[in-house]
């Protein structure tokens, strides 16, 4: 499994020969818009955690370019189905075996209105069980006890957690979240994009290190292999 970070919560995942893009937000991201060309991205599936603009802005462009299937909660899936896109609706607690692995849509504590204020259902995260590795993409969320349910079912190899604070968990809560999901290997997301969520990278890494955990912060376009 190869995971590439494109800023905010945008990730490209290659697994079992399939391309998955999470929460495409590039053209409106001051940190990535000059570094990444949305039109260069490959996608068989686009997974959307919730309807906020910093998670869906480039979903239509990417879906048009690639004919990818948009996977999200029911309300978001219907929103894009009405516009003619291929969708796969899910809801909290539900699993589906895709051709790249099992996906479960899990709870998140946040909101999920579309940019125009219309109903984006309830926000979520994704647990992806790939051929060899399992990951948790928390999406935008507070620390929540529900995270403890994840390791009862899935042994994670990586937890992708928001760390920017203000709109989501900050660093201290993300450290506790990594305890709850029983995964000490964390990829931090949802930081630095706007003034409200700027962080000190070295302080963040040291706090995780002191807690016996590994926080990875990738450059825009940088990849890791699991
Ligand atoms: Ni959000
Ligand atoms: Mn967000």
């Amino acid at each position: 499994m190869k995971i590439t970070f494109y800023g905010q919560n945008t990730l490209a995942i290659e697994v079992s020969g399939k391309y998955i893009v999470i929460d495409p937000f590039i053209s409106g991201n001051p940190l990535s818009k000059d570094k990444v060309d949305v039109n260069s991205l490959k996608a068989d599936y686009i997974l959307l955690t919730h309807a906020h603009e910093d998670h869906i802005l480039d979903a239509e462009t990417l879906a048009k370019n690639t004919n990818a299937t948009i996977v999200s909660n029911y309300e978001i899936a219907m929103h894009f189905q009405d516009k003619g896109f291929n969708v796969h609706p899910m809801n909290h607690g539900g699993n589906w075996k895709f051709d790249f692995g099992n996906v479960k849509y899990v709870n998140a504590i946040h909101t999920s209105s579309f940019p125009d204020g219309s109903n984006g259902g309830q926000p979520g995260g994704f647990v992806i069980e790939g051929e060899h590795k399992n990951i948790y993409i928390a999406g935008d969320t507070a620390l929540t006890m529900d995270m403890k349910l994840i390791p009862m079912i899935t042994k994670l190899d990586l937890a992708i957690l928001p760390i920017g604070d203000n709109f989501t968990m900050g660093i201290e809560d993300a450290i506790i979240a990594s305890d709850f999901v029983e995964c000490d290997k964390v990829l931090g997301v949802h930081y630095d994009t706007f003034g409200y969520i700027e962080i000190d990278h070295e302080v963040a890494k040291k706090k995780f290190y002191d807690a016996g955990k590994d926080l990875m912060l990738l450059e825009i376009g940088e990849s890791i292999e699991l």
Side-chain angles (χ1 to χ4, degrees):
M1 186 183 285
K2 181 182 178 187
I3 301 172
T4 306
F5 177 62
Y6 288 118
Q8 196 66 342
N9 202 47
T10 308
L11 301 155
I13 300 172
E14 285 180 56
V15 56
S16 299
K18 298 292 174 183
Y19 296 88
I20 304 157
V21 174
I22 312 292
D23 288 357
F25 173 68
I26 290 163
S27 64
N29 181 342
L31 301 184
S32 57
K33 65 179 166 51
D34 298 327
K35 293 182 180 160
V36 184
D37 179 4
V38 178
N39 298 312
S40 72
L41 296 184
K42 295 181 194 169
D44 297 297
Y45 299 92
I46 301 166
L47 272 55
L48 303 177
T49 60
H50 65 294
H52 286 161
E53 188 171 51
D54 61 315
H55 298 257
I56 67 159
L57 183 66
D58 295 316
E60 290 190 20
T61 303
L62 185 57
K64 267 184 203 137
N65 286 347
T66 61
N67 213 28
T69 298
I70 295 173
V71 180
S72 192
N73 71 26
Y74 183 80
E75 289 78 8
I76 293 172
M78 291 307 109
H79 168 94
F80 287 107
Q81 181 171 271
D82 287 348
K83 294 183 170 203
F85 295 103
N86 302 323
V87 302
H88 180 112
M90 298 186 76
N91 221 322
H92 300 89
N95 289 276
W96 186 260
K97 284 205 185 332
F98 290 89
D99 51 7
F100 60 87
N102 189 78
V103 174
K104 186 174 192 178
Y105 191 62
V106 297
N107 298 347
I109 303 281
H110 193 67
T111 56
S112 182
S113 48
F114 281 97
D116 68 359
S118 62
N119 179 22
Q122 299 299 315
F126 295 102
V127 174
I128 301 176
E129 295 178 347
E131 198 177 351
H132 305 293
K133 301 288 179 179
N134 302 325
I135 65 172
Y136 167 47
I137 299 157
D140 286 7
T141 184
L143 177 64
T144 162
M145 297 295 277
D146 288 345
M147 291 168 177
K148 291 190 172 190
L149 299 172
I150 292 169
M152 295 174 75
I153 303 289
T154 305
K155 172 92 184 73
L156 294 174
D157 297 287
L158 178 70
I160 301 175
L161 304 177
I163 58 169
D165 221 329
N166 191 73
F167 296 117
T168 67
M169 294 188 283
I171 290 150
E172 282 78 9
D173 284 358
I175 290 169
I176 298 168
S178 82
D179 280 336
F180 284 4
V181 300
E182 298 178 15
C183 182
D184 289 338
K185 192 169 178 186
V186 174
L187 174 62
V189 293
H190 214 274
Y191 61 92
D192 284 358
T193 312
F194 322 111
Y196 290 124
I197 60 174
E198 281 173 8
I199 65 163
D200 183 319
H201 295 202
E202 292 316 309
V203 168
K205 285 181 189 169
K206 180 156 191 321
K207 283 184 176 170
F208 273 81
Y209 181 83
D210 289 347
K213 298 168 187 297
D214 178 24
L215 174 68
M216 288 175 285
L217 300 178
L218 301 179
E219 298 292 327
I220 304 280
E222 192 180 355
S223 302
I224 53 168
E225 288 276 356
L226 283 187

